Amino acid sequence: MSQSAVKASGVTDAPDAGRWKALVFIALAQLMVVLDATIVNIALPSAQQDLGISDGNRQWVVTAYALAFGGLLLFGGRIADLWGRKRTFVTGLAGFAVASALGGAATNEAMMFGSRALQGVFGALLAPAALSLLAVMFTDAKERAKAFGIYGAIAGGGGAVGLILGGFLTEYLNWRWTFFVNIPFAIVAAAGAYLVIREPKGGRNRSPLDIPGVILSTLGLVALVYGFTRAESNGWSDALTIGMFVGSAVLLLAFVIVESKVKAPLLPLRVITERNRGGIYLSLGLAIIAMFGLFLFLTYYLQIVKGYTPVKTGFAFLPMIAGMITGSTQIGARLMTRVAPRLLMGPGFLVAAVGMLFLTQLEINTSYAGVLLPGMLLLGLGMGTAFMPAMSMATMGVEARDAGVASAMVNTSQQVGGAIGTALLNTIAASATTSYIADHMGGAASRSQQQLVQLEGQVQGYTSAIWFAVGILVVAAAIALTLINAGRPGGGAVTGSGAGDEAEDELRVPVVAH
C-alpha cells in the first residue's frame, strides 16, 4: 500500500495507544470462560443434591454448555466479523453474566440446564471475538508475541485456577457462588472493553450470512460433541451414539461442499486449507484431547484415591499453572520472534509428553513430590510453550475480514478435542479398571482387601489412559514439526499463499480505530 493510499484511507502508522489496556479486559473475559469449564465440575455434587438432579441427568449440567458452545462457535466467529468484534465481545459478556445469574439462582434442574445452555450460546460469541480482537490490535511481531503469551497462559492455566476457586467457593460459601462469581468478571471486562477497545477500521466482513452453512455446521458440531459425550456414559456401541457420529459426518461433509460453492461462506475454506493453520488446528485439538482427559483423572485420583479436599486438590494443580505461565510468557513469548513456531510447538508437546510419562507411574501410595509435582510441572511447561505460538499463528496471515472465524476454529478444535478427550480416555480407563478388578478380586477375601483392589483398579485405569495420552501428544508434536513450515514472524514467514500473503502484509499496516 502506497503512502498516499494510506493517507487516503485514513490509516496511519500509529498503533492503538489503548491496546495493552484492552489486553487486560480481553484476558479477564478469557479467564472467566476458561474458569467456567472447570469451576462448575467441583460444584456439581453439591448442586445435584440441592436441586434434586438424578445421576442420569447430572451430565447435562456439563453437556448443555458444551453442546451450545461447541455447536455455535463458527457462527459466533462469523457474527464477530459481521457485527464488529468489540460489539460482539461486549454482547457476549453481558449475556454470559445474565446466564450465570440464572444458574446461580436455579431452583430446579430445568432452570440449571437452560442457564448452562445460555452460557454456552454467549460463550460462543465471546471466545472468538476475544481472540480475533488480539489478532487485529497487535500487529507488531514482538508485541504480538507478548500479548499471545499472556493469552496462551490464561487459556492453558485457567482451568486449573478454576479447580482452586471452585473448591474454595463450594467448601466455604455455596455452590451457587461458582455461577455468581462470573458476574463481577463480566461487568468489569465489559465496561473496560467498552471504554478502551478501539477496533481497527476495514476489518469487517459485511457479506450476507451463510444460513445453510450456519445450520449444517451447528448441527454437525452438536452431533459430534454429543456423540462423544454419549459414548462416555452409554458406550461406543450404543445405537444413538453411532447414529450421532454418522449424522455428524454427513452434516459436516455437506457443510464443506456448501462452503466450497457459496459466494460468502461461513467458513472460507482458505482459512483451514492453508497448511500452517490446518496443522495448528489439528495438533492443538490432539493436545487438548490428552490434557482434558488428564485433568479429569488427576482430579479423581487426588480426591478419591488420595483423599484430598476440593481446595487441596486445586492447590495440587498449582505446579501445572506455574509451568504454563512460565512456558507461555517466558519461553514461548521470548523465542517466538527468534525461532520458527514449529520449533516451539513440536518440542513443547514432547516436553508435555515426558511430563505425562511421569504420571503413568501413579500408584495408590505415589509420592506427590516424587511423581506428581515434576510430571505436572513438565506438562505445564510444555503445553504453555506450545500454546503460545499456536494461538498467535492460528490468526496470523489471515485476512482481517476472516479473523473472527479463524479464531473460532481455534476454539472449535479445543472444544471438540475436550469432548473427544473426556469420552475416549474415560472409556479406556473404565475398560482397564473393569479388567483389573475382574482379574484380582478373586484373591481378595476381606472387605478391606476388596476395597484395595477397587482403588488399585481405578489407578490402573488412569495410568492406562495416560499412556494413550502420551501417544497422542507425540502425534501432535509430529504434526506440528511436519505440517507447520512457517518461519519466525517478521523473518520471512511462510504463513500463507496467494491472498493469505497479501493479507499478512495488510495486517502489518497499523490502522486507526473508529
Short mmCIF file of all heavy atoms in Angstrom, two decimals, residues 15-70:
data_model
loop_
_atom_site.label_atom_id
_atom_site.label_comp_id
_atom_site.label_asym_id
_atom_site.label_seq_id
_atom_site.Cartn_x
_atom_site.Cartn_y
_atom_site.Cartn_z
N PRO A 15 0.13 2.90 16.20
CA PRO A 15 -0.66 1.80 16.75
C PRO A 15 -1.64 2.32 17.80
O PRO A 15 -1.45 3.41 18.35
CB PRO A 15 0.39 0.89 17.39
CG PRO A 15 1.55 1.78 17.67
CD PRO A 15 1.54 2.86 16.62
N ASP A 16 -2.69 1.56 18.05
CA ASP A 16 -3.70 1.96 19.03
C ASP A 16 -3.06 2.09 20.41
O ASP A 16 -2.50 1.12 20.94
CB ASP A 16 -4.82 0.92 19.04
CG ASP A 16 -5.91 1.27 20.04
OD1 ASP A 16 -5.92 2.41 20.53
OD2 ASP A 16 -6.74 0.39 20.33
N ALA A 17 -3.14 3.29 20.99
CA ALA A 17 -2.50 3.55 22.28
C ALA A 17 -3.08 2.72 23.41
O ALA A 17 -2.42 2.45 24.41
CB ALA A 17 -2.61 5.04 22.61
N GLY A 18 -4.35 2.31 23.27
CA GLY A 18 -5.01 1.58 24.36
C GLY A 18 -4.94 0.07 24.25
O GLY A 18 -5.63 -0.64 24.98
N ARG A 19 -4.06 -0.45 23.36
CA ARG A 19 -4.09 -1.90 23.09
C ARG A 19 -3.69 -2.73 24.31
O ARG A 19 -4.24 -3.81 24.52
CB ARG A 19 -3.22 -2.23 21.88
CG ARG A 19 -1.75 -1.92 22.04
CD ARG A 19 -1.03 -1.93 20.67
NE ARG A 19 0.39 -1.63 20.79
CZ ARG A 19 0.88 -0.41 20.99
NH1 ARG A 19 0.05 0.61 21.11
NH2 ARG A 19 2.18 -0.20 21.08
N TRP A 20 -2.75 -2.22 25.12
CA TRP A 20 -2.33 -3.01 26.29
C TRP A 20 -3.39 -2.98 27.39
O TRP A 20 -3.59 -3.98 28.10
CB TRP A 20 -0.97 -2.51 26.82
CG TRP A 20 0.15 -2.84 25.88
CD1 TRP A 20 0.82 -1.97 25.08
CD2 TRP A 20 0.68 -4.14 25.60
NE1 TRP A 20 1.75 -2.64 24.33
CE2 TRP A 20 1.69 -3.98 24.62
CE3 TRP A 20 0.39 -5.43 26.08
CZ2 TRP A 20 2.43 -5.04 24.12
CZ3 TRP A 20 1.12 -6.50 25.58
CH2 TRP A 20 2.12 -6.31 24.61
N LYS A 21 -4.08 -1.84 27.51
CA LYS A 21 -5.21 -1.79 28.46
C LYS A 21 -6.30 -2.73 27.98
O LYS A 21 -6.93 -3.44 28.78
CB LYS A 21 -5.77 -0.36 28.56
CG LYS A 21 -4.86 0.62 29.26
CD LYS A 21 -5.49 2.01 29.25
CE LYS A 21 -4.54 3.05 29.82
NZ LYS A 21 -5.07 4.41 29.67
N ALA A 22 -6.53 -2.75 26.67
CA ALA A 22 -7.56 -3.64 26.11
C ALA A 22 -7.22 -5.09 26.40
O ALA A 22 -8.11 -5.90 26.70
CB ALA A 22 -7.66 -3.41 24.60
N LEU A 23 -5.92 -5.43 26.34
CA LEU A 23 -5.49 -6.82 26.61
C LEU A 23 -5.92 -7.26 28.00
O LEU A 23 -6.31 -8.43 28.20
CB LEU A 23 -3.97 -6.93 26.46
CG LEU A 23 -3.35 -8.28 26.84
CD1 LEU A 23 -3.88 -9.39 25.94
CD2 LEU A 23 -1.82 -8.22 26.75
N VAL A 24 -5.87 -6.35 28.98
CA VAL A 24 -6.28 -6.69 30.36
C VAL A 24 -7.72 -7.18 30.38
O VAL A 24 -8.04 -8.21 30.99
CB VAL A 24 -6.12 -5.46 31.30
CG1 VAL A 24 -6.71 -5.76 32.67
CG2 VAL A 24 -4.65 -5.06 31.40
N PHE A 25 -8.60 -6.47 29.69
CA PHE A 25 -10.03 -6.81 29.73
C PHE A 25 -10.34 -8.03 28.85
O PHE A 25 -11.20 -8.84 29.19
CB PHE A 25 -10.87 -5.60 29.31
CG PHE A 25 -10.65 -4.41 30.22
CD1 PHE A 25 -10.00 -3.27 29.77
CD2 PHE A 25 -11.05 -4.47 31.55
CE1 PHE A 25 -9.77 -2.19 30.62
CE2 PHE A 25 -10.83 -3.39 32.41
CZ PHE A 25 -10.18 -2.26 31.94
N ILE A 26 -9.61 -8.18 27.75
CA ILE A 26 -9.77 -9.37 26.91
C ILE A 26 -9.32 -10.61 27.69
O ILE A 26 -9.98 -11.66 27.68
CB ILE A 26 -8.97 -9.22 25.59
CG1 ILE A 26 -9.58 -8.12 24.72
CG2 ILE A 26 -8.93 -10.53 24.82
CD1 ILE A 26 -8.71 -7.69 23.55
N ALA A 27 -8.17 -10.48 28.37
CA ALA A 27 -7.64 -11.61 29.17
C ALA A 27 -8.59 -11.96 30.31
O ALA A 27 -8.79 -13.14 30.63
CB ALA A 27 -6.26 -11.25 29.70
N LEU A 28 -9.19 -10.94 30.93
CA LEU A 28 -10.14 -11.17 32.03
C LEU A 28 -11.35 -11.96 31.55
O LEU A 28 -11.80 -12.90 32.21
CB LEU A 28 -10.58 -9.82 32.61
CG LEU A 28 -11.42 -9.87 33.89
CD1 LEU A 28 -10.63 -10.45 35.05
CD2 LEU A 28 -11.92 -8.46 34.25
N ALA A 29 -11.85 -11.60 30.37
CA ALA A 29 -13.00 -12.31 29.79
C ALA A 29 -12.63 -13.75 29.45
O ALA A 29 -13.40 -14.68 29.70
CB ALA A 29 -13.49 -11.58 28.54
N GLN A 30 -11.43 -13.94 28.88
CA GLN A 30 -10.97 -15.29 28.54
C GLN A 30 -10.83 -16.14 29.80
O GLN A 30 -11.20 -17.31 29.83
CB GLN A 30 -9.64 -15.21 27.80
CG GLN A 30 -8.96 -16.55 27.53
CD GLN A 30 -9.75 -17.45 26.60
OE1 GLN A 30 -10.71 -17.02 25.97
NE2 GLN A 30 -9.35 -18.70 26.49
N LEU A 31 -10.31 -15.53 30.87
CA LEU A 31 -10.16 -16.24 32.14
C LEU A 31 -11.52 -16.71 32.65
O LEU A 31 -11.68 -17.84 33.11
CB LEU A 31 -9.47 -15.34 33.18
CG LEU A 31 -9.27 -15.94 34.57
CD1 LEU A 31 -8.38 -17.18 34.50
CD2 LEU A 31 -8.66 -14.91 35.52
N MET A 32 -12.53 -15.83 32.55
CA MET A 32 -13.88 -16.18 33.01
C MET A 32 -14.42 -17.39 32.25
O MET A 32 -14.97 -18.32 32.85
CB MET A 32 -14.81 -14.98 32.82
CG MET A 32 -16.24 -15.22 33.27
SD MET A 32 -17.34 -13.86 32.82
CE MET A 32 -17.48 -14.11 31.04
N VAL A 33 -14.25 -17.40 30.93
CA VAL A 33 -14.78 -18.52 30.12
C VAL A 33 -14.05 -19.81 30.45
O VAL A 33 -14.66 -20.87 30.60
CB VAL A 33 -14.64 -18.20 28.61
CG1 VAL A 33 -15.00 -19.39 27.76
CG2 VAL A 33 -15.54 -17.02 28.24
N VAL A 34 -12.71 -19.75 30.59
CA VAL A 34 -11.93 -20.96 30.87
C VAL A 34 -12.20 -21.46 32.29
O VAL A 34 -12.33 -22.67 32.52
CB VAL A 34 -10.42 -20.69 30.66
CG1 VAL A 34 -9.59 -21.90 31.01
CG2 VAL A 34 -10.14 -20.30 29.22
N LEU A 35 -12.30 -20.53 33.24
CA LEU A 35 -12.63 -20.90 34.63
C LEU A 35 -13.94 -21.68 34.68
O LEU A 35 -14.06 -22.68 35.39
CB LEU A 35 -12.79 -19.65 35.50
CG LEU A 35 -11.57 -18.91 36.01
CD1 LEU A 35 -12.00 -17.67 36.77
CD2 LEU A 35 -10.73 -19.79 36.90
N ASP A 36 -14.91 -21.19 33.91
CA ASP A 36 -16.25 -21.77 33.97
C ASP A 36 -16.26 -23.24 33.56
O ASP A 36 -17.12 -24.00 34.00
CB ASP A 36 -17.20 -20.96 33.07
CG ASP A 36 -18.65 -21.24 33.39
OD1 ASP A 36 -19.09 -20.76 34.46
OD2 ASP A 36 -19.32 -21.92 32.61
N ALA A 37 -15.29 -23.63 32.71
CA ALA A 37 -15.25 -25.01 32.24
C ALA A 37 -14.96 -25.99 33.38
O ALA A 37 -15.43 -27.13 33.36
CB ALA A 37 -14.20 -25.15 31.14
N THR A 38 -14.16 -25.56 34.38
CA THR A 38 -13.81 -26.50 35.47
C THR A 38 -14.45 -26.15 36.81
O THR A 38 -14.67 -27.04 37.63
CB THR A 38 -12.27 -26.53 35.68
OG1 THR A 38 -11.79 -25.18 35.80
CG2 THR A 38 -11.58 -27.19 34.52
N ILE A 39 -14.77 -24.87 37.01
CA ILE A 39 -15.28 -24.45 38.32
C ILE A 39 -16.62 -25.15 38.63
O ILE A 39 -16.90 -25.51 39.77
CB ILE A 39 -15.43 -22.91 38.36
CG1 ILE A 39 -15.51 -22.40 39.80
CG2 ILE A 39 -16.62 -22.41 37.56
CD1 ILE A 39 -15.40 -20.87 39.89
N VAL A 40 -17.43 -25.35 37.59
CA VAL A 40 -18.74 -25.98 37.78
C VAL A 40 -18.60 -27.47 38.13
O VAL A 40 -19.40 -28.02 38.87
CB VAL A 40 -19.63 -25.78 36.53
CG1 VAL A 40 -20.94 -26.55 36.63
CG2 VAL A 40 -19.93 -24.29 36.35
N ASN A 41 -17.53 -28.12 37.60
CA ASN A 41 -17.33 -29.54 37.90
C ASN A 41 -17.16 -29.78 39.40
O ASN A 41 -17.66 -30.77 39.95
CB ASN A 41 -16.09 -30.07 37.17
CG ASN A 41 -16.32 -30.18 35.67
OD1 ASN A 41 -17.45 -30.06 35.21
ND2 ASN A 41 -15.26 -30.38 34.91
N ILE A 42 -16.43 -28.87 40.07
CA ILE A 42 -16.20 -29.01 41.51
C ILE A 42 -17.52 -28.85 42.27
O ILE A 42 -17.77 -29.51 43.27
CB ILE A 42 -15.19 -27.93 41.99
CG1 ILE A 42 -13.82 -28.17 41.38
CG2 ILE A 42 -15.12 -27.88 43.49
CD1 ILE A 42 -12.99 -29.24 42.01
N ALA A 43 -18.39 -27.95 41.79
CA ALA A 43 -19.65 -27.64 42.48
C ALA A 43 -20.75 -28.63 42.16
O ALA A 43 -21.79 -28.65 42.84
CB ALA A 43 -20.10 -26.23 42.11
N LEU A 44 -20.55 -29.46 41.14
CA LEU A 44 -21.63 -30.32 40.63
C LEU A 44 -22.26 -31.23 41.69
O LEU A 44 -23.49 -31.31 41.77
CB LEU A 44 -21.12 -31.13 39.44
CG LEU A 44 -22.15 -31.97 38.68
CD1 LEU A 44 -23.36 -31.15 38.27
CD2 LEU A 44 -21.52 -32.62 37.45
N PRO A 45 -21.47 -31.94 42.53
CA PRO A 45 -22.11 -32.81 43.53
C PRO A 45 -23.07 -32.06 44.47
O PRO A 45 -24.17 -32.54 44.76
CB PRO A 45 -20.92 -33.39 44.30
CG PRO A 45 -19.78 -33.33 43.34
CD PRO A 45 -20.01 -32.08 42.55
N SER A 46 -22.65 -30.87 44.92
CA SER A 46 -23.50 -30.08 45.83
C SER A 46 -24.75 -29.57 45.11
O SER A 46 -25.86 -29.61 45.66
CB SER A 46 -22.72 -28.87 46.37
OG SER A 46 -21.54 -29.28 47.01
N ALA A 47 -24.58 -29.08 43.88
CA ALA A 47 -25.72 -28.57 43.11
C ALA A 47 -26.71 -29.69 42.81
O ALA A 47 -27.93 -29.50 42.89
CB ALA A 47 -25.23 -27.95 41.81
N GLN A 48 -26.18 -30.87 42.50
CA GLN A 48 -27.04 -32.02 42.20
C GLN A 48 -27.93 -32.37 43.39
O GLN A 48 -29.13 -32.60 43.25
CB GLN A 48 -26.17 -33.23 41.83
CG GLN A 48 -26.98 -34.47 41.47
CD GLN A 48 -26.09 -35.69 41.24
OE1 GLN A 48 -24.87 -35.59 41.24
NE2 GLN A 48 -26.71 -36.84 41.05
N GLN A 49 -27.33 -32.34 44.56
CA GLN A 49 -28.08 -32.67 45.77
C GLN A 49 -29.15 -31.62 46.08
O GLN A 49 -30.30 -31.94 46.37
CB GLN A 49 -27.10 -32.79 46.95
CG GLN A 49 -27.71 -33.40 48.20
CD GLN A 49 -26.67 -33.60 49.29
OE1 GLN A 49 -25.49 -33.32 49.10
NE2 GLN A 49 -27.11 -34.10 50.44
N ASP A 50 -28.78 -30.35 45.99
CA ASP A 50 -29.71 -29.26 46.30
C ASP A 50 -30.90 -29.20 45.35
O ASP A 50 -32.04 -28.93 45.78
CB ASP A 50 -28.98 -27.91 46.22
CG ASP A 50 -28.38 -27.52 47.56
OD1 ASP A 50 -28.34 -28.37 48.46
OD2 ASP A 50 -27.94 -26.36 47.69
N LEU A 51 -30.65 -29.44 44.06
CA LEU A 51 -31.70 -29.29 43.05
C LEU A 51 -32.41 -30.60 42.73
O LEU A 51 -33.32 -30.62 41.90
CB LEU A 51 -31.11 -28.69 41.77
CG LEU A 51 -30.44 -27.31 41.92
CD1 LEU A 51 -29.86 -26.85 40.59
CD2 LEU A 51 -31.44 -26.28 42.43
N GLY A 52 -31.98 -31.68 43.37
CA GLY A 52 -32.63 -32.97 43.14
C GLY A 52 -32.42 -33.51 41.73
O GLY A 52 -33.32 -34.13 41.14
N ILE A 53 -31.23 -33.27 41.17
CA ILE A 53 -30.92 -33.77 39.82
C ILE A 53 -30.52 -35.24 39.91
O ILE A 53 -29.69 -35.61 40.75
CB ILE A 53 -29.79 -32.94 39.17
CG1 ILE A 53 -30.18 -31.46 39.10
CG2 ILE A 53 -29.45 -33.47 37.77
CD1 ILE A 53 -29.06 -30.54 38.65
N SER A 54 -31.10 -36.08 39.08
CA SER A 54 -30.79 -37.51 39.12
C SER A 54 -29.40 -37.77 38.57
O SER A 54 -28.83 -36.95 37.84
CB SER A 54 -31.81 -38.29 38.29
OG SER A 54 -31.65 -38.00 36.91
N ASP A 55 -28.82 -38.95 38.92
CA ASP A 55 -27.50 -39.32 38.41
C ASP A 55 -27.50 -39.38 36.89
O ASP A 55 -26.51 -39.03 36.24
CB ASP A 55 -27.07 -40.68 38.98
CG ASP A 55 -26.63 -40.57 40.45
OD1 ASP A 55 -26.47 -39.42 40.93
OD2 ASP A 55 -26.47 -41.61 41.10
N GLY A 56 -28.62 -39.84 36.33
CA GLY A 56 -28.72 -39.95 34.87
C GLY A 56 -28.72 -38.61 34.17
O GLY A 56 -28.26 -38.49 33.03
N ASN A 57 -29.24 -37.59 34.85
CA ASN A 57 -29.36 -36.26 34.22
C ASN A 57 -28.24 -35.29 34.57
O ASN A 57 -28.12 -34.24 33.94
CB ASN A 57 -30.69 -35.60 34.63
CG ASN A 57 -31.86 -36.19 33.88
OD1 ASN A 57 -31.69 -36.84 32.85
ND2 ASN A 57 -33.06 -35.98 34.39
N ARG A 58 -27.41 -35.63 35.56
CA ARG A 58 -26.40 -34.65 36.03
C ARG A 58 -25.40 -34.27 34.94
O ARG A 58 -24.87 -33.17 34.94
CB ARG A 58 -25.67 -35.18 37.26
CG ARG A 58 -24.73 -36.32 36.99
CD ARG A 58 -24.03 -36.80 38.24
NE ARG A 58 -23.25 -37.99 37.97
CZ ARG A 58 -22.69 -38.73 38.90
NH1 ARG A 58 -22.83 -38.40 40.18
NH2 ARG A 58 -21.98 -39.79 38.58
N GLN A 59 -25.16 -35.19 33.99
CA GLN A 59 -24.20 -34.89 32.92
C GLN A 59 -24.63 -33.67 32.10
O GLN A 59 -23.81 -32.99 31.48
CB GLN A 59 -24.03 -36.09 31.99
CG GLN A 59 -25.31 -36.47 31.26
CD GLN A 59 -25.06 -37.29 30.00
OE1 GLN A 59 -24.09 -37.07 29.30
NE2 GLN A 59 -25.96 -38.23 29.73
N TRP A 60 -25.96 -33.37 32.11
CA TRP A 60 -26.45 -32.26 31.30
C TRP A 60 -26.02 -30.90 31.82
O TRP A 60 -26.05 -29.91 31.08
CB TRP A 60 -27.98 -32.33 31.17
CG TRP A 60 -28.38 -33.41 30.22
CD1 TRP A 60 -28.83 -34.65 30.51
CD2 TRP A 60 -28.30 -33.34 28.79
NE1 TRP A 60 -29.05 -35.38 29.37
CE2 TRP A 60 -28.74 -34.59 28.29
CE3 TRP A 60 -27.90 -32.37 27.88
CZ2 TRP A 60 -28.78 -34.88 26.93
CZ3 TRP A 60 -27.95 -32.64 26.53
CH2 TRP A 60 -28.39 -33.89 26.07
N VAL A 61 -25.57 -30.84 33.07
CA VAL A 61 -25.02 -29.58 33.58
C VAL A 61 -23.76 -29.21 32.78
O VAL A 61 -23.51 -28.05 32.47
CB VAL A 61 -24.69 -29.68 35.09
CG1 VAL A 61 -24.03 -28.40 35.60
CG2 VAL A 61 -25.96 -29.96 35.89
N VAL A 62 -22.98 -30.23 32.43
CA VAL A 62 -21.78 -30.02 31.62
C VAL A 62 -22.11 -30.07 30.13
O VAL A 62 -21.66 -29.23 29.34
CB VAL A 62 -20.71 -31.09 31.96
CG1 VAL A 62 -19.50 -30.96 31.06
CG2 VAL A 62 -20.31 -30.98 33.42
N THR A 63 -22.94 -31.03 29.72
CA THR A 63 -23.23 -31.26 28.31
C THR A 63 -24.01 -30.11 27.67
O THR A 63 -23.74 -29.74 26.52
CB THR A 63 -24.02 -32.58 28.13
OG1 THR A 63 -23.28 -33.64 28.74
CG2 THR A 63 -24.24 -32.91 26.67
N ALA A 64 -24.96 -29.52 28.39
CA ALA A 64 -25.76 -28.42 27.83
C ALA A 64 -24.86 -27.26 27.42
O ALA A 64 -25.04 -26.65 26.35
CB ALA A 64 -26.80 -27.94 28.85
N TYR A 65 -23.87 -26.97 28.25
CA TYR A 65 -22.91 -25.90 27.93
C TYR A 65 -22.04 -26.30 26.74
O TYR A 65 -21.85 -25.52 25.80
CB TYR A 65 -22.03 -25.63 29.15
CG TYR A 65 -20.97 -24.58 28.92
CD1 TYR A 65 -21.25 -23.23 29.06
CD2 TYR A 65 -19.66 -24.94 28.55
CE1 TYR A 65 -20.28 -22.26 28.83
CE2 TYR A 65 -18.69 -23.99 28.33
CZ TYR A 65 -19.00 -22.65 28.47
OH TYR A 65 -18.04 -21.70 28.24
N ALA A 66 -21.51 -27.52 26.78
CA ALA A 66 -20.59 -27.98 25.73
C ALA A 66 -21.26 -28.00 24.36
O ALA A 66 -20.65 -27.61 23.36
CB ALA A 66 -20.06 -29.38 26.08
N LEU A 67 -22.51 -28.44 24.30
CA LEU A 67 -23.22 -28.52 23.02
C LEU A 67 -23.47 -27.12 22.43
O LEU A 67 -23.24 -26.89 21.24
CB LEU A 67 -24.54 -29.26 23.17
CG LEU A 67 -24.48 -30.76 23.50
CD1 LEU A 67 -25.88 -31.34 23.59
CD2 LEU A 67 -23.66 -31.51 22.47
N ALA A 68 -23.95 -26.21 23.27
CA ALA A 68 -24.24 -24.85 22.78
C ALA A 68 -22.94 -24.14 22.37
O ALA A 68 -22.86 -23.52 21.32
CB ALA A 68 -24.98 -24.06 23.85
N PHE A 69 -21.93 -24.26 23.21
CA PHE A 69 -20.65 -23.58 22.96
C PHE A 69 -19.97 -24.16 21.72
O PHE A 69 -19.62 -23.44 20.78
CB PHE A 69 -19.76 -23.74 24.19
CG PHE A 69 -18.47 -22.96 24.12
CD1 PHE A 69 -18.48 -21.58 24.15
CD2 PHE A 69 -17.24 -23.62 24.06
CE1 PHE A 69 -17.29 -20.85 24.09
CE2 PHE A 69 -16.06 -22.90 24.01
CZ PHE A 69 -16.08 -21.52 24.03
N GLY A 70 -19.81 -25.48 21.69
CA GLY A 70 -19.13 -26.13 20.57
C GLY A 70 -19.88 -25.99 19.26
O GLY A 70 -19.29 -25.78 18.21
#
